Amino acid sequence: MTTEVRTLDAERWDEWYGMLERAFGGPPESREERALWRELTECERSLAVWDGDEVVGTAGAFSFRLAVPGGALVPAAGVTMVSVQPTHRRRGVLTSMMRRQLDDVRAAGEPLAVLTASEPAIYGRFGYGLATEQMRLEIDTTRVRLALPAGTDRVRLRVVPAAAAREACEAVYAQRVTARPGMLARQPGWDGQPLLDPKSMRDGAGELLCVLAEVDGEVRGYARYGLKPVWSTASGPDGVVLLRDVEALDPAAYAALWDFLFGIDLTSSVRIRNRPVDDPVLHLVSDIRRCAVGVRDGLFVRTVDVGAALEARTYAAPVDVVLDVEDAFCPWNAGRWRLAGDAKGATCERTADAADLALSARELGAAYLGGFSLSALAAAGRVTEVRPGALAEASAAFGSDVRPWLPHGF
């Protein structure tokens, strides 16, 4: 077998994307979904592996800006649309794409690559570490009550079609991005992604709606949702509020939105698939056991340029530590780096000094956003303390006041 990795020719996007759909085994996406992904695809950053005239592998990258601890927005390659046809598995196709892609990311000067994984076990060998988690909830609104903070009664709520609230929602989202590591600044065209609403995505719900939370005429928050009608012969209406996303700029607006969702007629539960694991709603509800909390993996992070990545964020406590980084897949990162920083900034440079901690690029990615501590990784045998005391110092410095979170997939 002779295969070749090439940059995607825009004229062959349909063929390329069709092979991606085939590899994932699902039905073809709706015209609405397909049109959006065609618009967002950066063909110059997308790869196709060819066996003769047949596409047997696909991979792409989006040009993102990722929020990191300290509030900076750091350039990051959003790895996406990765697939290998079943006829070509275990023949080096994926490795060839990952090799080319990370070389290209480095050449572009992006210190980070990030992805979400259909199969989390795949990407560790390429240096990606799980850096965020997402929480799902299904709240029994017939039995759970909310403790509303002061000021909630000043919030005015208004339901509008989701498309009509696009600009107002994006303004709120833009103010929230730098407050939580892992969030993505909206790049051109991405404001259409939250509005995707084909019937195949609704899970039996009606059209996507939006409720705006306003105070003195200013939009302070929003929630986008659909209503899934369910009728029980025994108890009558038992509908579900399928909540897509919710954001607010202050506690009163946030609580008011949840109070509205709890009180929608003919429904008995609110379900959402992706919230931060430290979401404030956990402290508003009266009975956490009736919220069916679940957690799964979110964003995987890969440091493509260790020095630039570690300098791009700030640190929760002063730190001066030498990291001995193992990185077989991106050998330019391997070796010892002295990281010195605090809440104001950091430097990270090559050094010949003795190591304080030893870890691989995968563990560095996992700890990068502050969601998983170096101490926890060390307890699993994945980080080694060389200098006594260095682990506690570095672990405290890498932490984040709020848990990192990826608000949407890509």
Side-chain angles (χ1 to χ4, degrees):
M1 180 190 72
T2 301
T3 59
E4 181 183 3
V5 181
R6 303 180 211 158
T7 302
L8 175 63
D9 182 343
E11 294 183 355
R12 303 194 73 165
W13 184 90
D14 284 309
E15 178 184 355
W16 179 84
Y17 197 78
M19 298 306 285
L20 172 69
E21 289 178 315
R22 178 193 291 181
F24 276 87
E29 292 181 337
S30 68
R31 291 183 180 179
E32 181 183 355
E33 292 173 275
R34 196 178 182 90
L36 178 69
W37 294 120
R38 178 64 186 90
E39 177 189 351
L40 294 176
T41 299
E42 299 177 40
C43 291
E44 70 280 5
R45 304 202 66 179
S46 301
L47 302 173
V49 177
W50 296 87
D51 184 355
D53 198 42
E54 181 185 6
V55 176
V56 298
T58 65
F62 295 121
S63 301
F64 285 146
R65 292 184 300 145
L66 177 76
V68 302
L73 292 171
V74 177
V79 176
T80 186
M81 301 181 187
V82 178
S83 73
V84 177
Q85 292 301 308
T87 53
H88 288 68
R89 294 176 67 240
R90 295 186 175 88
R91 300 187 186 183
V93 173
L94 177 61
T95 298
S96 68
M97 291 190 294
M98 294 293 101
R99 171 77 281 136
R100 167 72 177 272
Q101 190 174 66
L102 286 170
D103 288 344
D104 289 349
V105 172
R106 184 192 185 200
E110 293 166 313
L112 299 170
V114 296
L115 57 82
T116 61
S118 56
E119 295 183 86
I122 292 175
Y123 293 97
R125 68 182 185 270
F126 303 118
Y128 289 87
L130 175 61
T132 79
E133 295 175 301
Q134 62 186 50
M135 176 177 65
R136 64 182 181 273
L137 299 164
E138 184 162 1
I139 305 173
D140 181 351
T141 53
T142 67
R143 305 182 74 170
V144 177
R145 297 293 174 261
L146 295 169
L148 302 179
T152 306
D153 56 349
R154 295 184 58 239
V155 179
R156 176 176 178 257
L157 299 170
R158 186 161 56 95
V159 176
V160 296
R166 183 176 191 154
E167 185 174 340
C169 294
E170 288 304 308
V172 171
Y173 181 89
Q175 293 182 68
R176 293 288 302 149
V177 167
T178 57
R180 187 179 288 274
M183 294 186 72
L184 298 170
R186 297 275 204 245
Q187 300 298 87
W190 279 89
D191 57 347
Q193 194 265 356
L195 300 179
L196 272 179
D197 191 35
K199 289 185 178 181
S200 59
M201 289 179 58
R202 293 181 181 178
D203 192 22
E207 68 174 344
L208 188 65
L209 298 171
C210 179
V211 55
L212 297 175
E214 301 174 334
V215 177
D216 298 330
E218 177 191 0
V219 176
R220 302 290 296 172
Y222 65 89
R224 287 182 279 226
Y225 66 96
L227 299 177
K228 181 177 181 178
V230 179
W231 293 86
S232 168
T233 56
S235 58
D238 199 23
V240 183
V241 180
L242 299 180
L243 180 57
R244 290 275 192 92
D245 56 348
V246 54
E247 292 293 342
L249 301 179
D250 59 73
Y254 195 65
L257 289 166
W258 279 100
D259 190 43
F260 167 82
L261 296 165
F262 270 43
I264 294 176
D265 288 341
L266 308 181
T267 67
S268 60
S269 63
V270 174
R271 183 188 306 163
I272 186 166
R273 295 178 178 176
N274 184 14
R275 292 303 298 162
V277 294
D278 61 348
D279 194 289
V281 73
L282 297 175
H283 304 288
L284 296 176
V285 297
S286 61
D287 188 347
I288 193 66
R289 294 184 185 180
R290 298 190 183 277
C291 295
V293 177
V295 176
R296 59 162 289 173
D297 56 284
L299 187 70
F300 290 73
V301 171
R302 212 268 187 233
T303 51
V304 180
D305 182 331
V306 166
L310 294 181
E311 287 184 350
R313 56 157 293 177
T314 62
Y315 295 86
V319 63
D320 187 348
V321 65
V322 175
L323 304 173
D324 189 358
V325 178
E326 176 190 346
D327 195 344
F329 202 71
C330 294
W332 57 82
N333 286 323
R336 282 169 283 171
W337 297 83
R338 178 174 289 280
L339 169 66
D342 55 24
K344 296 180 180 179
T347 61
C348 186
E349 299 176 342
R350 289 280 188 184
T351 183
D353 294 343
D356 298 321
L357 296 177
L359 72 172
S360 78
R362 178 180 178 180
E363 281 64 62
L364 193 58
Y368 182 76
L369 295 177
F372 295 97
S373 74
L374 289 169
S375 292
L377 292 165
R382 292 171 56 182
V383 174
T384 301
E385 182 179 55
V386 181
R387 172 175 62 83
L391 178 62
E393 173 192 344
S395 190
F398 270 77
S400 172
D401 183 51
V402 294
R403 295 290 294 276
W405 172 62
L406 177 69
H408 62 81
F410 53 86

